[in-house]
Amino acid sequence: MINFRPSETRTSSSATAMSSTVTAEKAFSFISKGWREVKDSTEADLQLMKDRAKSFKNLASSFDREFENFLTSASRSTFPVPAITNSSSLTPAEIDFVKKLQPKLSEFRRAYSSPDFSKRVLEKWSPRAKIGIDLSAIKNAIVSEVEEVDGRERYRRTSVRDFSWESKGEGDEGLVSRNWEPIRALKTRLRELEQKSSSSEIIEGLKNSELVEKVKSSLKAICKEPEYSKEVPPLDFQELLACLVRQSGPFLDHLGVKRDVSDKIVESLCSKKKNQLLLRSFPTGESSILEGENINDELDIRIASVLQSTGHHYEGGFWDDFTKRESNGKRHVAIVTTASLPWMTGTAVNPLFRAAYLAKSQQQSVTLLVPWLTRTDQELVYPNNITFSSPDEQEVYIRNWLKERVGFSADFKISFYPGKFQKERRSIIPAGDTSQFISSKDADIAILEEPEHLNWYHHGKRWTDKFNHVVGVVHTNYLEYIKREKNGALQAFFVKHINNWVARAYCDKILRLSAATQDLPKSVICNVHGVNPKFLEIGERMTAEKEAGEQKFSKGAYFLGKMVWAKGYRELIDLLAKQKQDLNGFKLDVYGNGEDAHEVQSAAKSLDLNVNFMKGRDHADDSLHGYKVFVNPSVSDVLCTATAEALAMGKFVVCADHPSNDFFRSFPNCLTYKTPEEFVNKLNEAMSRDPQPLTPEQRYNLSWEAATQRFMEYSELDKILNTSTSESDKVNGIVRKSKSVPNLTSVVDGGLAFAHYCLTGNEFLRQCTGAVPGTRDYNKQHCKDLHLLPPQVENPIYGW
């Protein structure tokens, strides 16, 4: 029973009543606040009990599923119980015990899976007595509690200390039983509030709570402070001088300065700055990490901290250029060419096949870099009014064309660089620095198809500086073409020396398809081109038809090529005109399109030659299979692709005795001539008998597999790709070029490259030598099509 202590009496009854009322109101407010906290705490406890019951239910469900899977697997015929013979295996009796156990577990599952399971658990775990309190009764009891003493009403002041929890007698049990549970809970809560009397203690408790600690750790992870200082001062003069001396080690070695002397110079420059280096680069307390390191390591860390603070990514040094390997350990080959499909020219087709067959081995990663032309140039170059609105669209066309001919999906990358078409030379000139479109991490091995053409007006980084090994493949006899133009002899003289210049400056190795090309430095002669597999299949089919007794060839002779004078049309018309009488009754079909088509046809008509001109078509077209003889009098080709395709199809080839045809001499179906009279004799011989079937060895020599093997051998790529790089030449997966001091030849080549860079940087000199205006940098349309930054943003610093 609650026992109230008597308080002091007041002289004025009205004042006493007012004071008691205020005190009662404060007590009621305090009790109400405590009761709300008790209620909230009780609800939180009940919610926690519900969550734990739900967690138990989920865990039991998971166990039941696992057990059912076990029983299912045990009951299957494939369960390997009979096959197990060791002591640890289950016996049939144990299997039966498990099966008997299943119904009981099923009942247990139904029990805890029922919707009322959680409710029953909570009813069992929750307090049996319902907590409740009549606050109005307490208020009335406190406010109206009045004692009559000596016939006068006295009101008592109440406080927390007035609550007594001992029973005063048996008669009081009836009063205590009604309000005992809520009052006891209220007393406990009031005691807790008295212990936490200040708000600072409550806040401190929140700080120490586990939830708050988790939130703080999450915020720290999101807003992580940098490990080093954000403000790193730049390198001072002594540090820059020490770095320069250390980088100049090879040059000082060449001058006779020993490496020990260089190291002492660096140490003397950095010794005074040692403590400052550590303090600048690291926060307080971390300087001890580098106390045992030498001066060079400290300088490296200092430079790295400055570079990191500026966001600069280091890719090379003053003397050495670095090339990164891919993460999968493969070397990377970049093939750069001067033309692209649908322009059916040798520099568009052959590099495409080379990329496909190099990638087929999957020993190295391959990227094919082809020119991208704007819409106006596409309309001038590509046949049949084919144009592309985006590089992706052209890439799809190229890959579909290739897959139809090789029969496999080649895994290589196709990239584009800006190019402009030059009508006078009928060729595509690169715009800007072509080397920048191969990233530094892929700059390992470069194959330049037509290196002279690519580098005539190349104003950018030196290929041999960016790549570890650069191979040039000469496709075109430019001197022969230039001699046919006005003032051709003088132009050929300058072009010859320019070709030597750029070949020495930009290539490590040059492959010439035949001796018909200019003799360039660092060059060897080898045919590294193959034949489309489709032509070999056609030849095999024609041979099978012949062996079966079917008619093999139903047509006579033909010629196929782009209709420009330089492609052999001048030689063809001259031969037919001179030997017109000896070739009486001979008819020749000519297939081709080109800029000189009207002039060629007019010349043949004026001479009354028996020539039938038709539109150009693919050499693998069905309409050309029936021809028996392919005539090719051209002497301007380096290695005629059409000649190789005709031999692959099992036809006769009548061609000039010229260095460009040296590779074909070993084939019995190749008939060469030196004079017009001999041309007639060889033509009559071919028309009078059937060609010989190709042997397996001859077919292989014409294939791209053999061409790729020859390319790897003569370009020395087989040695470069297979030679393991020593650990001293690797830095974090980076393959580094040789550190040796360059010899006199390398110095001269570097000087030529620098002079070429300076000359091609001047727009006036470029145009004087025949460059397309505005090709030093790509234009706005290229930026839009290829998603490039403007040249002034990409290269803010220019040569003169």
Side-chain angles (χ1 to χ4, degrees):
M1 179 179 179
I2 301 177
N3 209 2
F4 295 98
R5 298 176 182 177
S7 60
E8 298 179 355
T9 60
R10 299 181 181 274
T11 56
S12 176
S13 60
S14 61
T16 302
M18 184 179 298
S19 176
S20 299
T21 303
V22 173
T23 303
E25 290 291 342
K26 291 182 178 179
F28 175 73
S29 176
F30 183 78
I31 294 173
S32 300
K33 182 178 179 181
W35 172 243
R36 285 196 299 271
E37 293 180 355
V38 172
K39 181 179 178 182
D40 294 341
S41 177
T42 304
E43 291 178 353
D45 292 338
L46 292 176
Q47 183 63 35
L48 179 61
M49 294 170 62
K50 291 181 181 179
D51 293 341
R52 289 180 178 176
K54 186 176 180 180
S55 175
F56 174 73
K57 177 180 176 181
N58 294 336
L59 181 63
S61 300
S62 176
F63 169 77
D64 186 65
R65 286 195 299 270
E66 294 294 335
F67 189 75
E68 282 188 350
N69 293 336
F70 170 74
L71 293 178
T72 304
S73 61
S75 61
R76 292 177 181 173
S77 60
T78 58
F79 190 77
V81 172
I84 300 175
T85 58
N86 54 25
S87 60
S88 62
S89 60
L90 294 175
T91 63
E94 292 173 341
I95 296 295
D96 295 338
F97 171 75
V98 172
K99 291 182 178 180
K100 291 178 181 179
L101 186 63
Q102 183 178 9
K104 297 181 179 181
L105 292 175
S106 300
E107 295 176 1
F108 177 72
R109 180 193 62 205
R110 286 194 296 270
Y112 66 68
S113 299
S114 62
D116 299 333
F117 176 75
S118 301
K119 181 178 180 181
R120 292 198 300 270
V121 171
L122 292 177
E123 290 177 353
K124 184 177 181 180
W125 288 357
S126 59
R128 295 182 180 276
K130 184 177 180 181
I131 300 175
I133 186 169
D134 189 359
L135 297 180
S136 61
I138 295 177
K139 177 182 178 181
N140 296 332
I142 295 174
V143 174
S144 60
E145 184 97 11
V146 179
E147 288 185 351
E148 292 185 3
V149 179
D150 299 333
R152 301 173 63 181
E153 292 183 351
R154 290 185 178 182
Y155 295 88
R156 297 183 302 171
R157 297 178 60 189
T158 58
S159 64
V160 176
R161 297 186 182 91
D162 293 335
F163 290 95
S164 176
W165 304 100
E166 289 91 15
S167 175
K168 298 300 180 181
E170 295 181 357
D172 299 331
E173 292 178 359
L175 296 175
V176 174
S177 61
R178 181 178 180 182
N179 296 325
W180 177 258
E181 289 294 336
I183 296 301
R184 184 173 61 182
L186 180 61
K187 178 183 177 182
T188 304
R189 195 61 180 172
L190 290 175
R191 286 178 179 176
E192 293 178 356
L193 291 175
E194 287 179 350
Q195 293 176 358
K196 299 180 180 180
S197 57
S198 63
S199 60
S200 60
E201 294 177 354
I202 298 176
I203 296 175
E204 187 67 24
L206 289 175
K207 288 183 179 180
N208 297 328
S209 64
E210 183 179 357
L211 176 62
V212 174
E213 290 298 326
K214 291 183 178 180
V215 173
K216 288 168 63 178
S217 61
S218 301
L219 292 176
K220 288 182 179 179
I222 297 173
C223 305
K224 186 177 180 181
E225 291 294 331
E227 186 177 357
Y228 303 135
S229 176
K230 297 180 180 179
E231 297 182 359
V232 180
L235 299 175
D236 58 18
F237 176 75
Q238 292 183 1
E239 294 168 340
L240 291 173
L241 186 58
C243 182
L244 178 61
V245 172
R246 193 177 61 173
Q247 292 287 345
S248 303
F251 178 71
L252 295 176
D253 290 342
H254 187 67
L255 297 178
V257 180
K258 296 182 179 180
R259 185 59 61 91
D260 296 339
V261 177
S262 301
D263 294 340
K264 290 181 179 179
I265 295 174
V266 174
E267 184 176 358
S268 63
L269 291 172
C270 295
S271 59
K272 298 180 181 180
K273 307 291 293 184
K274 181 176 181 179
N275 296 331
Q276 298 179 13
L277 291 174
L278 298 175
L279 293 176
R280 289 177 183 177
S281 301
F282 298 95
T284 305
E286 298 184 9
S287 60
S288 59
I289 298 175
L290 296 176
E291 289 179 355
E293 302 294 337
N294 56 31
I295 293 297
N296 288 327
D297 293 338
E298 294 173 2
L299 183 59
D300 288 338
I301 295 174
R302 169 74 174 127
I303 295 173
S305 64
V306 174
L307 293 176
Q308 184 180 10
S309 66
T310 60
H312 175 72
H313 181 66
Y314 179 65
E315 294 183 350
F318 293 108
W319 299 98
D320 300 321
D321 196 18
F322 293 86
T323 301
K324 299 179 182 178
R325 290 194 184 193
E326 293 187 349
S327 57
N328 57 8
K330 288 185 179 181
R331 303 293 293 270
H332 190 276
V333 178
I335 302 175
V336 187
T337 186
T338 58
S340 176
L341 295 178
W343 191 11
M344 297 300 297
T345 184
T347 52
V349 175
N350 291 311
L352 179 60
F353 281 113
R354 194 183 328 281
Y357 281 89
L358 281 176
K360 184 180 180 181
S361 64
Q362 297 183 351
Q363 296 180 356
Q364 56 275 326
S365 301
V366 180
T367 296
L368 177 64
L369 191 61
V370 298
W372 167 259
L373 301 178
T374 59
R375 179 62 66 90
T376 55
D377 285 343
Q378 292 181 32
E379 295 172 352
L380 297 174
V381 178
Y382 298 151
N384 303 323
N385 297 323
I386 299 177
T387 57
F388 305 99
S389 58
S390 67
D392 294 338
E393 185 179 347
Q394 186 171 1
E395 180 179 351
V396 171
Y397 178 91
I398 294 172
R399 292 191 182 277
N400 292 337
W401 185 93
L402 178 65
K403 188 174 182 180
E404 291 177 359
R405 284 152 181 80
V406 300
F408 60 87
S409 298
D411 185 15
F412 65 93
K413 181 182 178 181
I414 298 179
S415 298
F416 294 84
Y417 68 87
K420 292 186 179 181
F421 181 67
Q422 189 175 26
K423 297 181 182 179
E424 295 76 15
R425 296 184 179 180
R426 298 186 179 93
S427 59
I428 298 173
I429 303 297
D433 180 11
T434 309
S435 65
Q436 77 179 77
F437 295 93
I438 298 294
S439 62
S440 297
K441 68 183 182 65
D442 294 335
D444 186 7
I445 298 170
I447 301 174
L448 306 183
E449 310 280 351
E450 291 193 326
E452 328 96 290
H453 188 160
L454 285 170
N455 292 303
W456 279 334
Y457 307 106
H458 175 71
H459 182 68
K461 193 167 187 178
R462 188 182 176 189
W463 295 95
T464 51
D465 285 343
K466 185 170 185 177
F467 292 82
N468 289 327
H469 190 68
V470 181
V471 179
V473 181
V474 179
H475 289 248
T476 308
N477 189 356
Y478 288 106
L479 300 182
E480 183 66 28
Y481 286 111
I482 293 174
K483 289 177 182 179
R484 299 169 184 264
E485 299 177 0
K486 185 179 180 180
N487 300 323
L490 181 61
Q491 294 185 52
F493 173 80
F494 287 108
V495 171
K496 179 180 179 180
H497 288 81
I498 292 174
N499 289 345
N500 286 329
W501 186 351
V502 297
R504 291 191 59 177
Y506 295 111
C507 295
D508 296 316
K509 194 78 173 179
I510 294 180
L511 302 180
R512 299 160 56 199
L513 298 180
S514 71
T517 59
Q518 177 183 343
D519 187 9
L520 297 171
K522 312 175 187 177
S523 65
V524 294
I525 298 174
C526 179
N527 174 24
V528 293
H529 287 176
V531 174
N532 187 337
K534 182 178 289 188
F535 294 101
L536 293 172
E537 295 174 0
I538 294 172
E540 293 177 359
R541 186 172 67 250
M542 298 296 288
T543 301
E545 292 177 359
K546 179 184 178 182
E547 293 176 353
E550 300 178 5
Q551 184 180 1
K552 181 179 179 182
F553 298 109
S554 59
K555 300 179 182 179
Y558 74 106
F559 175 66
L560 180 143
K562 186 178 181 181
M563 200 167 291
V564 293
W565 286 115
K567 284 294 185 181
Y569 283 92
R570 176 61 65 188
E571 291 84 353
L572 178 63
I573 290 179
D574 290 343
L575 279 174
L576 296 178
K578 290 180 180 179
Q579 305 300 322
K580 185 176 180 180
Q581 295 181 354
D582 296 335
L583 295 173
N584 188 19
F586 175 76
K587 181 181 179 181
L588 182 68
D589 293 337
V590 176
Y591 295 87
N593 300 319
E595 295 84 354
D596 299 335
H598 179 71
E599 296 180 9
V600 172
Q601 295 176 15
S602 300
K605 185 176 181 181
S606 63
L607 295 173
D608 194 21
L609 301 179
N610 193 8
V611 178
N612 184 24
F613 290 98
M614 287 176 282
K615 291 184 178 180
R617 61 191 65 182
D618 194 323
H619 204 175
D621 192 88
D622 295 339
S623 61
L624 303 178
H625 295 175
Y627 288 100
K628 186 165 86 169
V629 182
F630 176 74
V631 178
N632 183 17
S634 175
V635 293
S636 61
D637 287 323
V638 173
L639 187 82
C640 185
T641 304
T643 299
E645 294 169 349
L647 289 174
M649 288 189 289
K651 305 178 186 296
F652 274 120
V653 172
V654 178
C655 57
D657 187 359
H658 188 262
S660 61
N661 297 318
D662 288 344
F663 177 78
F664 305 123
R665 293 180 188 275
S666 60
F667 294 87
N669 294 334
C670 179
L671 307 177
T672 60
Y673 64 90
K674 294 181 180 179
T675 63
E677 293 77 12
E678 194 173 0
F679 168 74
V680 176
N681 295 334
K682 296 296 183 180
L683 188 59
N684 291 331
E685 179 184 352
M687 297 296 294
S688 61
R689 63 184 179 91
D690 290 336
Q692 298 181 19
L694 295 177
T695 64
E697 182 181 359
Q698 292 170 350
R699 283 197 295 268
Y700 177 76
N701 289 337
L702 289 172
S703 67
W704 264 104
E705 286 83 0
T708 303
Q709 183 179 0
R710 293 192 297 266
F711 176 82
M712 298 292 290
E713 178 182 355
Y714 280 84
S715 66
E716 301 179 355
L717 284 187
D718 53 349
K719 298 179 181 179
I720 295 174
L721 295 176
N722 296 328
T723 301
S724 59
T725 308
S726 62
E727 293 299 329
S728 60
D729 292 335
K730 292 181 181 179
V731 179
N732 298 328
I734 299 176
V735 181
R736 185 168 56 195
K737 294 175 73 71
S738 175
K739 289 183 178 180
S740 60
V741 178
N743 54 27
L744 182 60
T745 302
S746 300
V747 172
V748 172
D749 294 345
L752 292 175
F754 179 74
H756 184 265
Y757 177 84
C758 293
L759 293 175
T760 55
N762 187 278
E763 188 65 27
F764 175 75
L765 295 178
R766 291 172 64 92
Q767 295 186 27
C768 289
T769 55
V772 178
T775 54
R776 192 185 74 170
D777 298 308
Y778 43 82
N779 56 29
K780 294 182 179 180
Q781 188 61 41
H782 284 130
C783 295
K784 181 179 179 180
D785 295 342
L786 298 176
H787 306 290
L788 302 174
L789 293 175
Q792 60 271 20
V793 177
E794 187 73 28
N795 302 304
I797 301 176
Y798 295 92
W800 63 278

